[in-house]
Amino acid sequence: MTTTIDGNEVGNGIRADVSDSVEALRDEGVTPGLATVLMSDDGASKTYVSMKQQACDELGIESYHHEIDPGAPAEVLFDRIDELNADPDVHGILVQMPVPDHVDERAVLNRIEPEKDVDGFHPENVGRLVAGNARYKPCTPHGVQKLLEAYDIETEGKDAVVVGRSDIVGKPMANLLIQRGTGGNATTTVCHSRTQDLAEKTRNADIVVAAAGVPEMIDAEMLSEGAVVIDVGINRVDANTEKGYQLVGDVDFESAKEKASAITPVPGGVGPLTIAMLMYNTVKAASMQSGVDVDLP
C-alpha cells in the first residue's frame, strides 16, 4: 500500500508546538513579530502574503504588513527594509518575491539583517547552512525534512535525487540531505534542465524530491519500485473546472502512486509545511534576539 503523506496533519502538529513557544515568549514579555513587504500587484503574491498573515494571527505572532507601489524606486523598498531592521518589535522580515524588474532581487536579500532573515536566503545564512551550522533552514526544504521525519522515512545511506536547482528549494534541499545528522546523511544528486537522461537518475533513487516547476514531469516510469516521492511543485494548468484551472505538482500523482511507497499530494502535501516553518523560524528569531529560550521541535 502506498502511503499518502498528509502535510496538513504534520503542519498542524508543528503549529501547535510553535503556538506553545509563542505563549512561553509572551509570558516573558516578548511577542514575536513578522513583517511582510509586498511590492507587487500579482494576485498569487497577495494570496501568499495573506496566508502568512492569517497564520500569524492564529498563532499569536504580531503581523506587520507593508505594501509598496510596484512603480516606486528601489530605494523606497530599501528604506522600508532599513526601518524594519531597526525596529526591535520586528523579529523576522519577509519580502514577497518576485519584486519588480527594476529592483535587484539579490540586493533586497542582502539588505535584510541576517538575524531577521527568516526565509534563510541572506548570503550569510546560506553560508551557515552549507557549513552545517544553520541559523534558519529555508522553510520549504525544512518542511520536507519534517514530513520525512513524521513518517519515519530514513534518509541515512539512501540515494536521493533533487530535481531542480533553485536557491529557494533545490540547492538548500540538497544541502540538508547531505548534512550529518537527523534528516541527512543521504547520497544526493541534483538534477536540472541540463541533466542528460533524467529518468535514469530518478529510477536509481530511493527518495525523489521534485522541485522543477514543470507540471507532472515525473511519472511512474521514472521511479523505482518503492521510492519515496516528495512533490514540491505547484502549477496551475487549464482544466474544465469552475475556476478554469486546477493545481498539479511536478509529479503525475496518479501514475506515481502505483510505484511509490510514500508520496505527497498537491495540494495538501509540502505546501502546509512551508508556512508552518516560516512561523517556526519567526519564533526562533524572537527567541534568539530576546535571549529567552523556548523549546522548538
Side-chain angles (χ1 to χ4, degrees):
M1 286 290 292
T2 301
T3 298
T4 299
I5 296 173
D6 189 339
N8 287 309
E9 181 180 5
V10 178
N12 287 338
I14 292 171
R15 286 188 186 215
D17 290 334
V18 168
S19 180
D20 290 343
S21 296
V22 170
E23 287 188 20
L25 284 167
R26 282 178 170 272
D27 288 344
E28 297 295 326
V30 178
T31 300
L34 174 66
T36 52
V37 183
L38 179 65
M39 192 179 186
S40 172
D41 290 326
D42 178 64
S45 293
K46 291 182 178 181
T47 298
Y48 294 147
V49 168
S50 177
M51 292 169 64
K52 291 161 186 174
Q53 291 175 285
Q54 182 179 347
C56 286
D57 292 342
E58 291 172 355
L59 297 179
I61 295 171
E62 195 69 42
S63 176
Y64 305 94
H65 182 55
H66 302 265
E67 293 195 14
I68 296 175
D69 186 336
E75 283 306 317
V76 175
L77 173 59
F78 295 147
D79 288 346
R80 182 59 52 86
I81 293 172
D82 290 344
E83 293 170 6
L84 296 172
N85 282 334
D87 188 343
D89 292 330
V90 173
H91 302 102
I93 301 170
L94 184 150
V95 177
Q96 183 65 45
M97 299 296 174
V99 289
D101 291 342
H102 67 279
V103 180
D104 185 340
E105 184 173 310
R106 289 194 177 276
V108 173
L109 299 178
N110 290 347
R111 196 79 171 211
I112 300 171
E113 287 291 337
E115 294 82 2
K116 296 192 177 188
D117 166 42
V118 287
D119 264 335
F121 297 151
H122 187 283
E124 179 180 314
N125 289 329
V126 173
R128 290 181 62 131
L129 174 69
V130 173
N133 183 31
R135 176 184 280 124
Y136 308 116
K137 296 179 181 180
C139 302
T140 299
H142 194 188
V144 171
Q145 277 194 318
K146 291 296 186 182
L147 286 176
L148 296 173
E149 178 185 339
Y151 279 80
D152 295 322
I153 297 169
E154 185 59 71
T155 57
E156 182 167 346
K158 302 298 183 180
D159 289 318
V161 167
V162 178
V163 183
R165 55 179 171 180
S166 71
D167 293 338
I168 296 172
V169 180
K171 290 177 184 177
M173 186 77 255
N175 270 298
L176 289 176
L177 286 168
I178 65 172
Q179 296 289 344
R180 290 185 176 92
T182 304
N185 292 319
T187 301
T188 306
T189 301
V190 179
C191 297
H192 44 76
S193 59
R194 300 295 188 270
T195 297
Q196 296 185 10
D197 199 352
L198 174 63
E200 179 186 4
K201 307 294 192 299
T202 55
R203 276 196 294 265
N204 288 318
D206 302 304
I207 301 170
V208 175
V209 181
V214 179
E216 299 180 324
M217 68 177 294
I218 295 174
D219 59 20
E221 293 185 1
M222 300 174 68
L223 302 171
S224 64
E225 194 69 44
V228 173
V229 181
I230 305 295
D231 191 352
V232 181
I234 183 162
N235 311 284
R236 286 188 180 186
V237 297
D238 293 337
N240 186 23
T241 65
E242 184 178 336
K243 294 181 178 180
Y245 67 87
Q246 66 179 5
L247 297 178
V248 300
D250 289 359
V251 176
D252 179 2
F253 182 84
E254 292 303 321
S255 73
K257 73 177 183 180
E258 301 302 320
K259 275 271 193 79
S261 61
I263 186 170
T264 58
V266 175
V270 175
L273 272 297
T274 297
I275 291 182
M277 301 321 297
L278 175 63
M279 300 299 106
Y280 177 106
N281 281 352
T282 300
V283 172
K284 184 177 182 181
S287 173
M288 291 192 300
Q289 291 167 38
S290 67
V292 177
D293 290 334
V294 293
D295 291 326
L296 285 166

